Amino acid sequence: MTVADLVVIGGGQAGLATAHAASALGWMPVVLDASARPGGSWPRYYDSLTLFSPARFSALPGMPFPGAPERYPVRDEVVAYLDTYARRLDAEFRWGNRVERVTRQSKRFQVRTVDGVMVESRMVVAASGGFSRPYRPALSGLESFTGKVLHSADYSAPDPFVDSRVVVVGGGNSAVQIAVELAEVARVTIATRGRLRWQPQRILGRDFHWWLTRTGLDTSPLGPRLAKGGVPVIDDGRYRRAVRAGRPDHRPLFARVEGDSVVWADGSRERVDALILATGFRPELGYLEETAALDGDGTPQHIGGVSATLPGLGYVGLERQRSFASATLRGVGRDAVHVLRALERQLVQSDDLVR
């Protein structure tokens, strides 16, 4: 049994930002992560992933992203950045330790890993993020499909799809980025329930994120409330041009899947080799099931990242947790500070803070 000031579950961007904030408060956090290295989900994203935010808006607290500030870093640069960031932190990292269960007794949390390691603390931050569990929607007949079905989390490169007929389901940034890349080697359709929404990457010569920051919308809790519809595709022009040119084409979501084919909304039937579900992710918080932290659907009950049901428990890295930026490299640091200060106040008020 190890006793820690704070247990942080997850060693990706959210967990690293939380460890940084904890160190600033004088705490020695223990960070548990299932992976063998820092980075969370980043090392598993597709090969060509490029950030939609410039380097200057893609850094964690205390360490600028290297290189020209206006460039758009790629996946492997982010992975290297997070690895370097972790090495500079004053925290105890335990890689290869997947958390199996969190319980609470006598105002203390017991965090157990699948290998039987136990860490106890008065404070726990679930920083396994909002992108750990691929979401697979219920699509009529999908279980009968005889072609290849994979989530965008399993997609790495276009090579296996050369000369194939591919349908990408989803209308977000990853869906469009993957579909446009695939369209160079395959016949590709983006299928969505609604229209594709576009957000120019640069406005009046400035990156979109510059405007979000300057107006305060990036960190304002009102930001997510003002946004209507789905998340827009941030585009420098090339993605919209590709879709307009039909490479890939865009169609309403098919009505159903039958064998090796999809049946489109107009009743036409077409054979398809592969379906790629770029349908987003959900938080992986199963380790909290034995607590009162989650509602009946497994959704965390929280206010701005602070548990509404368990004092001492917080979250960092959930999508739109407090603002547009909450689940991003640029935003997790602010949320981590907010959550840790709130947890500290809770324990001070109950005379339970041990440092």
Side-chain angles (χ1 to χ4, degrees):
M1 170 78 75
T2 299
V3 178
D5 295 333
L6 168 71
V7 177
V8 181
I9 303 173
Q13 62 191 36
L16 297 180
T18 304
H20 179 275
S23 296
L25 290 171
W27 304 342
M28 173 58 74
V30 171
V31 182
L32 303 173
D33 192 275
S35 301
R37 57 183 291 194
S41 299
W42 283 100
R44 300 189 295 274
Y45 290 146
Y46 51 96
D47 296 350
S48 63
L49 185 148
T50 302
L51 295 187
F52 290 95
S53 57
R56 72 164 68 247
F57 297 111
S58 303
L60 295 178
M63 182 177 150
F65 205 100
E70 294 304 320
R71 70 192 183 86
Y72 296 90
V74 297
R75 181 201 65 181
D76 288 349
E77 292 179 281
V78 177
V79 172
Y81 171 83
L82 295 176
D83 186 77
T84 301
Y85 192 90
R87 295 176 190 279
R88 296 184 181 185
L89 287 175
D90 186 17
E92 180 181 346
F93 290 97
R94 298 189 180 183
W95 306 111
N97 278 261
R98 180 182 296 278
V99 172
E100 179 181 47
R101 182 171 69 252
V102 176
T103 56
R104 192 166 190 262
Q105 296 178 357
S106 302
K107 299 182 181 180
R108 301 182 72 89
F109 292 96
Q110 290 78 40
V111 182
R112 181 183 294 276
T113 72
V114 294
D115 295 323
V117 173
M118 177 79 82
V119 185
E120 184 176 272
S121 178
R122 297 174 186 269
M123 294 180 290
V124 170
V125 170
S128 43
F131 305 97
S132 306
R133 180 163 53 98
Y135 172 65
R136 299 174 184 268
L139 300 174
S140 178
L142 183 62
E143 67 283 353
S144 72
F145 186 56
T146 58
K148 181 183 296 185
V149 180
L150 67 158
H151 192 273
S152 58
D154 304 310
Y155 171 83
S156 58
D159 298 0
F161 302 94
V162 173
D163 296 328
S164 296
R165 178 69 177 105
V166 181
V167 175
V168 177
V169 178
N173 286 299
S174 293
V176 171
Q177 199 171 72
I178 289 171
V180 170
E181 176 179 74
L182 280 172
E184 296 296 320
V185 301
R187 293 181 298 115
V188 183
T189 293
I190 301 176
T192 64
R193 296 188 188 278
R195 65 185 181 90
L196 288 174
R197 299 177 62 235
W198 305 97
Q199 169 61 57
Q201 191 163 51
R202 302 189 74 82
I203 303 171
L204 299 177
R206 298 279 192 176
D207 182 86
F208 170 62
H209 295 85
W210 184 91
W211 292 102
L212 281 178
T213 302
R214 180 58 63 93
T215 60
L217 284 174
D218 199 38
T219 56
S220 170
L222 295 176
R225 300 177 190 175
L226 295 175
K228 297 180 180 179
V231 177
V233 177
I234 300 175
D235 182 33
D236 61 4
R238 55 182 165 158
Y239 295 124
R240 189 183 296 195
R241 285 195 299 270
V243 172
R244 284 176 174 170
R247 298 188 63 188
D249 72 323
H250 175 224
R251 304 186 197 181
L253 183 64
F254 45 81
R256 62 187 181 278
V257 178
E258 292 182 353
D260 63 355
S261 303
V262 298
V263 178
W264 295 104
D266 62 3
S268 62
R269 180 187 178 102
E270 182 180 12
R271 183 183 177 281
V272 171
D273 297 302
L275 295 173
I276 298 179
L277 307 178
T279 46
F281 298 80
R282 297 292 184 269
E284 180 56 80
L285 298 169
Y287 48 80
L288 293 173
E289 287 180 352
E290 294 185 23
T291 71
L294 310 177
D295 66 14
D297 296 325
T299 302
Q301 302 179 79
H302 70 96
I303 300 173
V306 181
S307 175
T309 55
L310 285 180
L313 174 65
Y315 305 89
V316 176
L318 299 178
E319 192 168 15
R320 301 195 179 189
Q321 175 174 310
R322 295 180 63 231
S323 68
F324 278 136
S326 282
T328 68
L329 285 161
R330 70 185 184 279
V332 286
R334 286 186 292 267
D335 283 4
V337 170
H338 170 81
V339 168
L340 292 190
R341 286 177 176 170
L343 298 186
E344 183 181 39
R345 287 194 298 270
Q346 287 180 348
L347 298 184
V348 167
Q349 290 167 1
S350 64
D351 295 324
D352 277 339
L353 183 62
V354 176
R355 302 171 78 171

